[in-house]
Amino acid sequence: MPLARDVAEEVAKQYGVCIRPVPLKRLDTHTGHWEIVDVPCGATLEAKCAPCAKRNRQLRMAQCREGWHLEAEPAITPDEPNEEQRWLVEFRADVQAQRDQADQAGQDAADLDELISGLDEEINAAGMRGNVLGRTVPKRNRSTRRRQDAPDLPKRKMAATTLGRTFTSSDGKIYRPSLFVTLTLPSYGKVKNGTPVDPDSYDYARAARDALHFSKLVDRFVQNLRRVAGYDVQYFAAVEPQKRLAPHLHMAIRGTLPRAEIKQIAAATYHQVWWPPADRVIFDGDRLPEWEDGTGYFDPVTGEVLPTWDRALDQLDTDEAAEPLHVLRFGVQVDVQGMLAGTPDADQCIRYLSKYLTKSISDSLDPDDQAQRDHAARMAEALRFEPCSPTCPNWLRYGVQPKGAKPGMTPGRCRGKAHKPDHLGYAGRRVLVSRKWSNKTLAEHKQDRRTWVLEALGQTDQPTDPHRYIWKPVPASDANVAPLAIRLLRSVAERQRWRAHMVRLQAEAGEQDLSATEGRAA
Ligand SMILES: [Zn+2]
Ligand SMILES: [Zn+2]
């Protein structure tokens, strides 16, 4: 006999129901009752189960298709926050409070951090821009010398449009061509089947820094692209691992430019990382900086206090001879394809763009390929002591206090995603969609997400007081959490009810449409 749980999982998959729901405790402040509700894993965590991943991929494909060959300017007006958005922000605030509490109590907050970063992505995916915390510190004013220079590229006058040019054929048909561009990073040494021919001479250090800052290079490319194109170019891009484990980028671009210009832009684009030097190891092994309350990190031998992050940056600003920590450029391999809406080629690109969405960088590793596994291990090692962000504990190794320094920081023990073998340096988003790509699909996207959440809450569509609920995580061992099989079947039943409800609503809407038409006719 099959296990009940396996059967329930199969049924859940057929209904597109999350098979790894996250139980959460919810306090209803109106009634004072606590209850446990399941939230789809896709709505809280980065790791998504198959049904959540599939749904996510479908939404992304629809979003990509919708924006690529848009014929009219998308109307971008911030909507009133909806229930789901409010819910996410409330939940985010609650988790933040718990995280801070755990941190103060000296407990491990890694799980909560993970949940928070997942929620932040979710909040953005739900159609809200920015971070719920906003900008907490004033932006640094860098000296002009440190600004990224604009590369030497042709510049067109900016037109206030996001749409590309159209072409009319002799028979009057209008064509709306677009581009599919692939950008890669440079070579770090000769590779064969994705692994270095000579691991000793392969430039892992450079590969690590390139991967860490890759998203910044992409930002620069878009800025330059817009400057050259002379309109507000929109894109839908996916960051994917190459076989050699370096991130590369596939980008659907609305509108078209000459192939040679795209190549010229890619060649001229670079990004300078203005961080303090991190090439000379100052503290290592047993000799590490120590913490003192009110002072920060200091050298236990000399007693000297390490420069804070801000001071290290100030030093960089005033040092005429300072060099950027790292400069990134794309590799020479740039692929540019012209596309037309609705063609099989365009469809294939859309599938391609969403192909890796559900996978982590390391998923493309072949478990039987020892050479590749060794390559991945060397890459992870190169990333171990590389500072991943201003707050990375690795800064202590190079004699700088990380931004927001606190006790207990140890170089080589950063919990940042970038150091994890799953990410291999790239901790950014896998899908990059410009703000004016489309609006309709985003609304659909929101609607769908909203439906998930409401389903999870056991509600259909009645408005709720945004301050009504307080959420808390539940340990998996909690005796009040029903066995997974039962929870899955409950979700299936919920989905069935919801579907029936939708059918009923549609039927009613249809009748109303009909009577409205009849009314007009009369
Ligand atoms: Zn799921
Ligand atoms: Zn780090």
Side-chain angles (χ1 to χ4, degrees):
M1 271 205 316
L3 281 167
R5 185 173 151 166
D6 294 343
V7 175
E9 204 171 285
E10 276 315 305
V11 175
K13 275 188 196 161
Q14 275 167 25
Y15 274 84
V17 164
C18 175
I19 55 167
R20 267 195 270 129
V22 182
L24 290 169
K25 242 186 197 171
R26 185 181 70 179
L27 172 67
D28 185 337
T29 54
H30 288 192
T31 63
H33 285 305
W34 279 102
E35 66 176 327
I36 290 176
V37 291
D38 276 328
V39 173
C41 73
T44 54
L45 297 170
E46 203 185 78
K48 294 173 174 57
C49 72
C52 286
K54 189 175 166 201
R55 185 178 287 232
N56 191 39
R57 186 174 174 218
Q58 283 167 348
L59 282 164
R60 285 301 197 181
M61 281 169 73
Q63 188 188 20
C64 181
R65 187 169 289 119
E66 198 104 359
W68 205 353
H69 298 93
L70 218 59
E71 289 172 18
E73 218 55 79
I76 307 285
T77 43
D79 297 332
E80 284 285 299
N82 62 27
E83 300 305 320
E84 180 224 345
Q85 293 169 333
R86 286 205 201 98
W87 178 84
L88 282 167
V89 172
E90 292 274 319
F91 183 45
R92 166 74 170 74
D94 204 55
V95 177
Q96 180 75 41
Q98 288 175 52
R99 194 227 165 273
D100 294 345
Q101 252 175 27
D103 203 36
Q104 269 165 22
Q107 291 159 354
D108 184 9
D111 289 350
L112 290 168
D113 279 340
E114 193 117 324
L115 184 59
I116 285 172
S117 83
L119 278 169
D120 277 343
E121 282 182 23
E122 207 54 40
I123 283 168
N124 290 136
M128 284 177 285
R129 299 206 297 135
N131 182 298
V132 285
L133 298 180
R135 189 178 281 285
T136 47
V137 279
K139 203 176 169 150
R140 275 182 70 84
N141 277 320
R142 288 292 177 76
S143 66
T144 40
R145 212 170 62 77
R146 293 278 177 269
R147 283 203 197 120
Q148 310 276 340
D149 324 316
D152 188 21
L153 281 168
K155 204 168 140 184
R156 291 197 179 89
K157 199 170 172 289
M158 267 315 237
T161 177
T162 70
L163 307 178
R165 283 184 294 169
T166 55
F167 299 87
T168 311
S169 70
S170 53
D171 59 354
K173 205 169 168 222
I174 293 172
Y175 289 95
R176 202 172 279 283
S178 67
L179 295 174
F180 186 71
V181 174
T182 302
L183 297 167
T184 51
L185 284 166
S187 166
Y188 308 114
K190 208 174 168 213
V191 287
K192 205 179 158 194
N193 285 330
T195 52
V197 174
D198 176 21
D200 292 334
S201 66
Y202 190 83
D203 197 346
Y204 281 101
R206 177 157 208 97
R209 283 187 185 167
D210 277 2
L212 281 170
H213 301 283
F214 185 65
S215 52
K216 285 287 191 320
L217 186 64
V218 173
D219 288 349
R220 296 273 165 232
F221 175 76
V222 171
Q223 285 168 10
N224 293 336
L225 177 69
R226 286 180 176 154
R227 222 175 266 145
V228 174
Y231 70 98
D232 191 7
V233 181
Q234 301 298 306
Y235 60 91
F236 182 106
V239 177
E240 290 165 8
Q242 280 179 294
K243 211 173 171 205
R244 61 173 179 150
L245 305 178
H248 75 159
L249 184 85
H250 295 300
M251 187 178 241
I253 293 173
R254 187 150 82 223
T256 192
L257 265 83
R259 217 169 279 224
E261 268 183 16
I262 297 285
K263 295 198 171 186
Q264 199 188 349
I265 298 165
T269 296
Y270 64 92
H271 174 70
Q272 295 171 313
V273 182
W274 284 105
W275 277 0
D279 289 307
R280 200 166 67 86
V281 178
I282 298 174
F283 297 98
D284 191 19
D286 291 339
R287 194 172 169 263
L288 291 175
E290 285 173 19
W291 171 269
E292 193 179 87
D293 286 340
T295 307
Y297 282 97
F298 64 95
D299 182 336
V301 176
T302 64
E304 201 182 333
V305 178
L306 270 52
T308 61
W309 176 254
D310 277 336
R311 247 197 62 213
L313 285 191
D314 288 343
Q315 276 168 6
L316 203 59
D317 278 353
T318 49
D319 181 0
E320 285 297 316
E323 298 277 330
L325 172 68
H326 187 58
V327 181
L328 299 86
R329 289 181 184 281
F330 289 113
V332 285
Q333 221 185 312
V334 178
D335 188 64
V336 187
Q337 292 175 52
M339 287 293 148
L340 284 172
T343 56
D345 277 354
D347 276 352
Q348 204 192 338
C349 287
I350 291 167
R351 274 197 301 278
Y352 204 63
L353 276 165
S354 59
K355 189 171 126 190
Y356 287 91
L357 278 188
T358 57
K359 298 181 175 175
S360 71
I361 301 262
S362 62
D363 277 350
S364 54
L365 291 179
D366 176 356
D368 296 328
D369 187 340
Q370 188 60 42
Q372 206 193 23
R373 288 219 316 263
D374 291 345
H375 176 48
R378 284 189 295 267
M379 185 69 189
E381 191 54 34
L383 283 156
R384 191 167 160 221
F385 289 113
E386 197 56 50
C388 68
S389 68
T391 57
C392 185
N394 286 348
W395 283 112
L396 293 174
R397 184 177 171 86
Y398 308 104
V400 173
Q401 298 203 47
K403 189 177 174 185
K406 54 185 178 188
M409 292 180 129
T410 312
R413 298 239 187 99
C414 176
R415 287 181 171 276
K417 265 195 226 167
H419 303 283
K420 293 188 177 165
D422 266 4
H423 290 269
L424 289 175
Y426 183 77
R429 291 162 157 268
R430 300 295 296 280
V431 186
L432 313 165
V433 188
S434 63
R435 201 165 69 86
K436 298 172 191 163
W437 178 255
S438 67
N439 46 8
K440 191 178 157 205
T441 312
L442 198 61
E444 282 174 4
H445 185 77
K446 278 191 270 183
Q447 189 55 45
D448 196 86
R449 294 286 180 150
R450 176 186 149 95
T451 307
W452 281 13
V453 174
L454 289 179
E455 269 176 81
L457 302 184
Q459 300 166 352
T460 40
D461 51 5
Q462 72 266 39
T464 46
D465 168 2
H467 301 289
R468 181 165 177 178
Y469 300 109
I470 292 170
W471 299 82
K472 283 196 189 313
V474 190
S477 55
D478 192 308
N480 294 315
V481 177
L484 185 61
I486 290 176
R487 289 156 58 208
L488 293 185
L489 293 177
R490 265 187 212 149
S491 296
V492 169
E494 194 63 51
R495 174 131 326 183
Q496 283 171 321
R497 265 203 298 282
W498 176 74
R499 276 190 189 168
H501 183 70
M502 285 303 287
V503 168
R504 215 163 45 237
L505 283 180
Q506 270 164 3
E508 281 168 22
E511 276 164 29
Q512 272 168 15
D513 273 358
L514 211 61
S515 54
T517 318
E518 280 162 3
R520 270 201 300 279

